[in-house]
Amino acid sequence: MCSNLINNQKIHRYGLALKNVMKKPEISAAMHRLGYNNEKMAEGLALLESTAQCFDTYDLHEKNKQDALHKFENTSDLMMSIYQIHCKKIKAIALQNSTVVTPLEFATILPNNYAKWIRKIKTFYFVISTDPLIKNHLWLYNTGEADLEEVERIIFRVENAQENYCYALKEEQKLADKKNKAFLKLNQWMHQFSTTAQRGLAEQPALLELFFESFQQKK
């Protein structure tokens, strides 16, 4: 995140430098003689713009990825709280009917691994929904068919949120590679731009100083 901020600042500084060079007739003419004519400068500006767009797209995706993560975490927390309540009810039922415990094989502490976590929960509720005896007992604890249907919807939301977050992670890597390649290309162009000025204007220190002043000015 820190390097991303630094590179964003460099892009901004590069943009100001190119514009400042183009606005100063004496240094613009000197760079024109060194091969940086209007077409070449337009190339640099286009590269600058495309790189900035890559960074903007990445930053926007980062926000979307964080939103996807929060949605997944919040939905998972909701699922977990409901599951724990139902586990307590099943434990209470099991005190009265021992045959309820064996088919559920439930545990209030679930695995950290998501795949195992969601599988455990789905198995738990599948057994409940297909066992009339358990459902009848749960009804006595104010958990009816509508509650179990709501659980199914929440499980779907958890799985959907997890898929969206995983997709966001994959997209993040693609966008990160794209912005890094774009910045590398821009950096190389600007390095060549500066190197050309240093060598080509070595015998014109006033112009060379004017060139590098363009990198320091804010407008």
Side-chain angles (χ1 to χ4, degrees):
M1 184 63 70
C2 182
S3 61
N4 199 53
L5 176 61
I6 292 173
N7 289 343
N8 258 315
Q9 292 172 343
K10 280 187 177 181
I11 291 172
H12 181 66
R13 185 162 60 88
Y14 287 160
L16 291 177
L18 288 177
K19 292 174 183 177
N20 285 330
V21 166
M22 295 173 71
K23 285 192 300 184
K24 297 178 179 178
E26 57 270 53
I27 191 62
S28 179
M31 293 306 295
H32 190 284
R33 290 192 296 272
L34 294 173
Y36 284 85
N37 54 23
N38 292 341
E39 183 179 351
K40 186 68 173 177
M41 293 299 288
E43 175 189 289
L45 289 171
L47 188 58
L48 180 79
E49 182 178 354
S50 63
T51 303
Q53 288 177 348
C54 285
F55 273 73
D56 289 343
T57 301
Y58 179 83
D59 290 342
L60 177 61
H61 181 78
E62 271 291 288
K63 181 183 180 303
N64 292 337
K65 186 199 74 173
Q66 288 302 317
D67 290 343
L69 174 60
H70 292 154
K71 185 173 182 179
F72 172 59
E73 290 175 337
N74 292 338
T75 312
S76 298
D77 288 345
L78 174 62
M79 182 71 259
M80 189 62 185
S81 64
I82 294 172
Y83 171 78
Q84 289 174 336
I85 290 172
H86 288 161
C87 274
K88 291 177 180 178
K89 291 183 178 182
I90 293 295
K91 283 184 177 181
I93 294 170
L95 292 176
Q96 299 175 344
N97 191 332
S98 60
T99 60
V100 170
V101 179
T102 304
L104 285 174
E105 297 180 353
F106 66 88
T108 53
I109 300 178
L110 291 169
N112 291 325
N113 177 274
Y114 168 76
K116 294 179 179 179
W117 180 87
I118 195 67
R119 184 165 62 246
K120 186 77 174 178
I121 285 179
K122 291 175 76 172
T123 300
F124 177 83
Y125 284 104
F126 175 78
V127 172
I128 290 177
S129 64
T130 55
D131 190 320
L133 176 63
I134 297 175
K135 289 171 73 173
N136 287 338
H137 279 87
L138 279 174
W139 182 81
L140 298 175
Y141 284 83
N142 299 317
T143 300
E145 196 69 42
D147 298 295
L148 296 179
E149 290 176 356
E150 178 61 18
V151 165
E152 289 183 12
R153 287 190 287 270
I154 295 173
I155 289 174
F156 174 80
R157 285 164 52 194
V158 170
E159 291 181 310
N160 187 59
Q162 195 269 346
E163 289 176 5
N164 289 339
Y165 177 60
C166 287
Y167 175 78
L169 286 176
K170 292 179 182 178
E171 285 299 300
E172 178 186 41
Q173 186 57 56
K174 293 179 184 178
L175 292 173
D177 290 342
K178 185 176 181 180
K179 77 174 178 65
N180 290 339
K181 288 177 181 177
F183 182 77
L184 178 61
K185 190 174 181 180
L186 173 64
N187 221 26
Q188 290 172 339
W189 195 96
M190 291 300 297
H191 176 73
Q192 185 62 45
F193 183 55
S194 297
T195 300
T196 299
Q198 283 181 305
R199 294 173 179 174
L201 303 177
E203 296 180 1
Q204 297 173 283
L207 281 179
L208 186 58
E209 183 179 356
L210 190 62
F211 174 85
F212 282 108
E213 280 180 358
S214 298
F215 284 79
Q216 306 300 324
Q217 294 176 356
K218 295 183 179 181
K219 293 183 180 180

